[in-house]
Amino acid sequence: MADLLERCRGNAWTKTPCDGCGNETDGRKTLMGTYQVVSPPTDGVSSLSWSPNANLLVATSWDNQVRCWEVSPQGQSAAKVATTHEKPVLCSCWNATGDVVFSGGVDNQVKMWTLATNQTQQVAAHDAAVRHVAFMPEMNLLVTGSWDKTLRYWDLRSPNPVHSQPLPDKVYAMSCTHPLLVVGTADRNILVFNLQNPQQVYKQIASPLKYQTRCVTNFPDKTGFLVGSIEGRVAVHHVEDNMQNKNFTFKCHRNNNDVYAVNSIAFHPVHGTFSTAGADGAFNFWDKDSKQRLKAFQAANAPIPCSSFNKDGSIFAYAVSYDWSKGAENYNPATAQNHILLHGVQDSEIKARTRPNRR
């Protein structure tokens, strides 16, 4: 198969322009150490998921497609397989062994896609769009969150959920790292579940942020979670009451008086620091423990709707495409940009460091 990625030589790519990279387009110039998928989805990218065991990247899109690429350490990539939903696809995740992908979307279904055979089957369903999916190998269950205001747990051997958990509103965000499951819904609700007792809400709070939740991501040590919202702000929040004095919020993805949504937050799998990506087209690396930004990157010319680190944190994948933050009236298919970019992560960018003293 033809390679889908071309590696940057110096600071210049060859031939095809990339307006979404935030740099000059003559000769496809982009950021040093960044690789571009040259056959990206044809509509907005809704999720990016890396295999837990290999450099296999899956993207879901509003063009009803789920695509998979194999990425080499040198930035080269080959198309593996692709599959289709009947309507736009909103979310994806892998199983523990990295040979199956789960995807859900506006067709109200979750499909299980076996890559080796390129076969799919429906394994879950809701009464409205499926916004998030997560596989829990510790319980051998799939958990799905939907705009039908429910959270459902699925044993893949059964067509019916083993439990359906009513929620106060539509699911907007979800993060699962057993035994911690955190769900963000409309109307700023945050629900925390201890998966050792998944049929009960462990704790329900109003978001620490004043405006609509866009994303939640659990701490690697499972003591808390990060919340990103449409107001260009992130909350660092701990689950237990005796750690509430460690909670704080900070501003990001702002440019003077312009405020942008925080669309995606991802923890680095090695260093425990994290990234934020936003509607301003920028991504940043942060350290919550020293309360500082480690690295700010040049903004693209379109929003970043989703992002993800690969299994060892050496590659940071992010999409550049419309994120619907300004509504359907501001979406023009004729001029829309849809790119997937891979940033080669350096330790100097992402590794925690002591905050300099302020005088």
Side-chain angles (χ1 to χ4, degrees):
M1 296 182 185
D3 287 341
L4 293 181
L5 300 175
E6 298 176 7
R7 186 173 182 182
C8 179
R9 297 178 180 89
N11 193 39
W13 296 80
T14 58
K15 299 182 180 178
T16 309
C18 173
D19 295 330
C21 301
N23 287 307
E24 301 176 32
T25 60
D26 53 331
R28 188 193 286 162
K29 294 184 178 180
T30 187
L31 303 178
M32 183 75 73
T34 297
Y35 312 89
Q36 183 189 350
V37 174
V38 299
S39 296
T42 58
D43 205 340
V45 184
S46 53
S47 77
L48 293 170
S49 302
W50 289 96
S51 164
N53 300 323
N55 279 339
L56 296 174
L57 177 66
V58 158
T60 61
S61 172
W62 285 79
D63 65 6
N64 305 358
Q65 295 286 311
V66 187
R67 296 172 173 86
C68 179
W69 296 270
E70 184 175 12
V71 180
S72 77
Q74 293 76 35
Q76 301 298 312
S77 176
K80 297 291 287 183
V81 279
T83 191
T84 305
H85 279 242
E86 295 178 3
K87 294 182 180 180
V89 194
L90 302 180
C91 55
S92 59
C93 71
W94 292 77
N95 70 346
T97 53
D99 56 352
V100 168
V101 173
F102 302 96
S103 56
V106 182
D107 57 7
N108 304 352
Q109 301 178 4
V110 176
K111 291 187 176 183
M112 181 174 70
W113 180 26
T114 303
L115 298 183
T117 61
N118 198 22
Q119 298 295 309
T120 62
Q121 68 179 94
Q122 181 181 333
V123 294
H126 280 265
D127 299 321
V130 180
R131 184 63 185 89
H132 285 282
V133 293
F135 184 73
M136 302 180 291
E138 298 86 354
M139 305 172 70
N140 201 29
L141 294 177
L142 184 73
V143 59
T144 58
S146 170
W147 290 346
D148 68 4
K149 305 180 183 180
T150 68
L151 190 71
R152 296 180 181 178
Y153 301 89
W154 304 85
D155 183 330
L156 300 178
R157 298 167 296 183
S158 172
N160 300 312
V162 297
H163 175 65
S164 184
Q165 177 70 40
L167 300 172
D169 219 316
K170 296 179 180 179
V171 172
Y172 282 175
M174 188 173 81
S175 182
C176 181
T177 49
H178 190 273
L180 178 64
L181 172 65
V182 179
V183 180
T185 77
D187 202 27
R188 299 176 47 250
N189 298 292
I190 303 288
L191 295 95
V192 179
F193 294 86
N194 180 346
L195 292 172
Q196 295 174 340
N197 190 11
Q199 299 185 14
Q200 291 187 3
V201 177
Y202 182 73
K203 185 173 290 189
Q204 180 174 342
I205 63 170
S207 170
L209 306 178
K210 296 180 180 179
Y211 297 95
Q212 182 189 103
T213 301
R214 290 288 285 175
C215 53
V216 297
T217 304
N218 293 348
F219 297 172
D221 66 5
K222 308 166 190 176
T223 61
F225 50 90
L226 303 176
V227 184
S229 75
I230 63 170
E231 67 195 275
R233 193 183 291 268
V234 169
V236 178
H237 195 85
H238 293 76
V239 172
E240 300 302 338
D241 293 341
N242 61 3
M243 300 184 72
Q244 298 304 299
N245 62 335
K246 295 184 177 182
N247 296 344
F248 65 95
T249 67
F250 64 92
K251 299 177 183 177
C252 54
H253 299 283
R254 300 183 176 207
N255 184 10
N256 297 322
N257 293 326
D258 295 327
V259 179
Y260 299 89
V262 180
N263 290 328
S264 179
I265 303 175
F267 273 97
H268 191 271
V270 175
H271 298 301
T273 51
F274 65 94
S275 64
T276 62
D280 57 348
F283 67 94
N284 303 279
F285 294 162
W286 307 85
D287 179 10
K288 68 177 177 63
D289 297 327
S290 62
K291 298 183 180 180
Q292 65 176 318
R293 182 165 60 183
L294 301 172
K295 179 75 173 181
F297 294 87
Q298 182 178 354
N301 294 332
I304 300 177
C306 50
S307 62
S308 181
F309 288 103
N310 70 335
K311 61 185 178 66
D312 62 5
S314 62
I315 304 174
F316 177 71
Y318 62 101
V320 176
S321 63
Y322 190 56
D323 63 354
W324 305 99
S325 60
K326 295 183 179 180
E329 62 274 15
N330 284 282
Y331 177 66
N332 184 352
T335 60
Q337 304 174 40
N338 301 293
H339 305 285
I340 298 174
L341 298 168
L342 307 175
H343 172 74
V345 179
Q346 306 300 311
D347 278 354
S348 59
E349 301 170 341
I350 196 66
K351 193 173 182 179
R353 55 180 180 262
T354 303
R355 185 171 185 170
N357 293 326
R358 294 183 177 180
R359 295 184 178 180

